[in-house]
Amino acid sequence: MPADGIRFFIYVRWAQLKQDSASHSELDQMVARYIETYWAVDPMHPSRFEDSDTAVISNPMVMSDAEWRASEIFVGIYQPNGYAHSCDVFFQQQGRIVAVLSLVRRVRPTLSRQPRSPGSNRCSRSCSTASARSMYRAGRIAAPAWPCSFA
C-alpha cells in the first residue's frame, strides 16, 4: 500500500509504555497538534474500536468522503498540511489495542472534466496523457474523460 507518511504509536497501559514515532519531522509536528487538540474528534481513534475485532480502519469505513472533508480533524490538521488519511492498522494484545500504524497520503491534484473540442485528444500543459493515466490503476479508481487538467 503506498504511503507518503507513516506514524507508529505504541501504548500499553498495563506496562506504562508509551512510544510514538513518525516517518518525518512534518508528520511529527502534525502528531503533536493531533495529541493537543484533535484526538478527541478523531472518528478513527483507537478507543472507538477497543471492544471490536477491527484490525484495519479507513475513512470510507466510517463516513462518506464529503463528511470526512468537512470534519474538524481533516479541516484542522490534515488539509492544512497537504495530507489525507489513508488507514490505521490496530495491533492487539490480550484483546486490547496496544499499537497503531497510521498511513497517510499527500493530497493529489484532482482531474476535472473539460468539454472536448472536436478532434482534441490532448491533456492541458499541466499534465501529459501518459502521466495522468498512470495515476489510475484498473479497478481502483475510475479514469476521467480525456482531455484533462488539474483543478
Side-chain angles (χ1 to χ4, degrees), residues 43-150:
M44 289 160 281
H45 190 274
S47 64
R48 301 183 195 284
F49 302 93
E50 189 73 42
D51 296 323
S52 76
D53 291 338
T54 303
V56 178
I57 191 77
S58 64
N59 309 357
M61 295 170 70
V62 202
M63 61 181 65
S64 71
D65 188 59
E67 290 171 317
W68 170 248
R69 292 186 180 280
S71 71
E72 185 177 346
I73 190 170
F74 180 80
V75 172
I77 197 165
Y78 284 101
Q79 186 178 37
N81 289 289
Y83 284 98
H85 183 269
S86 273
C87 75
D88 285 339
V89 179
F90 301 138
F91 297 87
Q92 295 186 2
Q93 184 179 44
Q94 299 174 2
R96 299 176 121 182
I97 296 171
V98 295
V100 180
L101 176 66
S102 294
L103 305 174
V104 293
R105 300 287 318 264
R106 284 277 182 200
V107 175
R108 306 281 191 250
T110 56
L111 297 174
S112 63
R113 293 179 183 207
Q114 293 180 344
R116 287 182 187 231
S117 57
S120 171
N121 196 19
R122 287 187 250 144
C123 285
S124 69
R125 290 182 195 165
S126 60
C127 71
S128 72
T129 303
S131 65
R133 285 189 178 158
S134 71
M135 293 172 51
Y136 297 91
R137 290 180 172 76
R140 296 183 79 182
I141 301 173
W146 304 101
C148 66
S149 71
F150 287 95

Side-chain angles (χ1 to χ4, degrees), residues 4-9 20-42 59 68 72-86 88 102-107:
D4 296 314
I6 299 169
R7 173 188 179 226
F8 190 67
F9 179 70
D20 196 348
S21 184
S23 59
H24 53 281
S25 62
E26 184 182 29
L27 204 51
D28 276 331
Q29 293 168 3
M30 280 179 58
V31 168
R33 289 188 55 224
Y34 171 86
I35 292 168
E36 285 175 12
T37 309
Y38 295 99
W39 71 269
V41 295
D42 184 354
N59 309 357
W68 170 248
E72 185 177 346
I73 190 170
F74 180 80
V75 172
I77 197 165
Y78 284 101
Q79 186 178 37
N81 289 289
Y83 284 98
H85 183 269
S86 273
D88 285 339
S102 294
L103 305 174
V104 293
R105 300 287 318 264
R106 284 277 182 200
V107 175

